[in-house]
Amino acid sequence: MPRVALRPGQLAYGASKAGLENYSEALGLALEGTGIRVIKVRLGPALSEFAMAWDLEPEATQKRTEHWAAFGLRDARMLAQGTLGLLMPDDVARAVVQAVTQPRHMLIDTIELQPSVPRRADGVSG
């Protein structure tokens, strides 16, 4: 049951995300009954300092997109179609605030956010 989308060329990144998932699970168990919530937040493409560190020159983006597309990755297909959206910091903040303001008897264990499904040229989702 993979929890982290694996990406070619990002072995250390994928391994660190998997480690954080396992750490979060263990921390949640250790804190059970204390009233402290552990919530995992999984983001798709988001406007962030991490994203700004990428080489966004057209040639580099094209090369990365083609490489990822060979593995069937959704982001690569969206990039190739020119339909890749980005999550904005406010989008993420709203989701986190919603999770942490739930009643004490409720736990949102994991938040997974992705940009909207891309639209085809005819305007239909999919």
Side-chain angles (χ1 to χ4, degrees):
M1 82 183 143
R3 294 182 175 148
V4 177
L6 304 175
R7 297 190 178 279
Q10 294 186 335
L11 298 176
Y13 176 70
S16 66
K17 285 182 75 170
L20 286 171
E21 288 269 342
N22 287 334
Y23 180 81
S24 297
E25 291 288 332
L27 184 59
L29 290 172
L31 294 173
E32 192 171 296
T34 66
I36 298 172
R37 302 175 188 187
V38 176
I39 303 170
K40 295 179 290 297
V41 180
R42 299 179 189 151
L43 300 180
L47 183 62
S48 66
E49 289 181 24
F50 178 77
M52 294 298 117
W54 282 27
D55 181 352
L56 298 177
E57 290 297 318
E59 303 82 32
T61 300
Q62 182 66 30
K63 184 177 179 181
R64 186 171 47 249
T65 299
E66 289 171 358
H67 181 66
W68 286 357
F71 292 85
L73 295 175
R74 176 180 177 265
D75 294 356
R77 292 192 307 273
M78 292 171 71
L79 274 170
Q81 297 166 9
T83 58
L84 178 64
L86 289 175
L87 296 167
M88 296 292 121
D90 286 353
D91 300 328
V92 178
R94 274 192 304 279
V96 170
V97 167
Q98 180 184 12
V100 301
T101 57
Q102 294 303 307
R104 293 179 61 84
H105 68 278
M106 272 183 62
L107 169 65
I108 296 178
D109 177 75
T110 304
I111 301 168
E112 185 157 350
L113 302 173
Q114 296 290 333
S116 295
V117 174
R119 297 198 175 271
R120 299 188 313 227
D122 61 7
V124 177
S125 293

